[in-house]
């Protein structure tokens, strides 16, 4: 039988492996495969086919729209008129919103890169009478998911 489990990369998987060896499962019957994480960069614009809900222009668009309304209404009394001042306000608001979103994203990405590790998939080849005990051991040591395959 095969017991397959996934873990966040941490010391819990090392403890689980040591306990499985103490239970009599040979080291040659244990396979731990670390998964590589894909570098996650935010895209400039979300598309219909690939959307994670986080793009760099969201705040820029919202701030650009708000500032353009205010500057267009103020442009009624200014020399260039409401159209030019609305466009100037839209460009300025978009730029400020984009820079705010970009700086917050850089800060978040640095923090998450330090904390975030990959995942590890553990495959245990065991006898049918050991499968329940192996699964219980893996659950006790913070497994994300466990499957028993005969």
């Amino acid at each position: 039988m095969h017991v397959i489990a996934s873990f966040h990369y941490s010391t819990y998987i090392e403890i689980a492996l040591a306990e499985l060896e103490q239970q009599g499962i040979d080291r040659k019957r244990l396979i731990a495969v670390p998964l590589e994480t894909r570098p996650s960069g935010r895209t400039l614009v979300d598309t219909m086919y690939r959307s994670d809900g986080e793009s760099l222009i969201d705040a820029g668009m919202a701030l650009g729209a708000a500032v353009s309304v205010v500057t267009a209404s103020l442009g009624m009394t200014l020399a260039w008129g409401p159209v030019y001042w609305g466009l100037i306000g839209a460009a300025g608001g978009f730029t400020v919103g984009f820079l705010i979103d970009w700086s917050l994203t850089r800060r978040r990405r640095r923090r998450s890169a330090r904390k975030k590790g990959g995942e590890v998939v553990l495959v245990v080849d065991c006898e049918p009478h050991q499968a329940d005990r192996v699964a219980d051991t893996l659950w006790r040591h913070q497994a994300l998911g466990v499957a028993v395959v005969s």
Side-chain angles (χ1 to χ4, degrees), residues 41-58 61 101:
R42 285 176 66 178
T43 58
L44 188 62
V45 179
D46 279 341
T47 63
M48 187 170 85
Y49 303 107
R50 185 177 170 269
S51 175
D52 58 359
E54 297 179 357
S55 67
L56 288 174
I57 66 168
D58 292 341
M61 288 293 199
D101 208 7

Side-chain angles (χ1 to χ4, degrees), residues 82-111:
V83 174
Y84 286 125
W85 282 107
L87 291 173
I88 291 169
F94 177 81
T95 304
V96 169
F98 178 82
L99 291 175
I100 289 171
D101 208 7
W102 180 70
S103 67
L104 292 176
T105 301
R106 277 189 37 202
R107 216 176 272 149
R108 258 187 257 132
R109 194 179 306 149
R110 270 194 234 135
R111 277 193 206 130

Side-chain angles (χ1 to χ4, degrees), residues 29-137:
R29 301 180 84 183
L30 301 171
I31 300 172
V33 181
L35 300 177
E36 293 181 15
T37 57
R38 180 170 42 135
S40 62
R42 285 176 66 178
T43 58
L44 188 62
V45 179
D46 279 341
T47 63
M48 187 170 85
Y49 303 107
R50 185 177 170 269
S51 175
D52 58 359
E54 297 179 357
S55 67
L56 288 174
I57 66 168
D58 292 341
M61 288 293 199
L63 198 57
V67 173
S68 70
V69 169
V70 172
T71 53
S73 65
L74 292 175
M76 294 286 201
T77 60
L78 298 176
W80 290 350
V83 174
Y84 286 125
W85 282 107
L87 291 173
I88 291 169
F94 177 81
T95 304
V96 169
F98 178 82
L99 291 175
I100 289 171
D101 208 7
W102 180 70
S103 67
L104 292 176
T105 301
R106 277 189 37 202
R107 216 176 272 149
R108 258 187 257 132
R109 194 179 306 149
R110 270 194 234 135
R111 277 193 206 130
S112 67
R114 279 184 270 161
K115 291 181 189 175
K116 200 172 196 180
E119 285 190 24
V120 177
V121 175
L122 176 65
V123 180
V124 180
D125 183 25
C126 62
E127 300 298 324
H129 67 277
Q130 295 175 318
D132 289 335
R133 190 174 53 186
V134 168
D136 288 339
T137 301

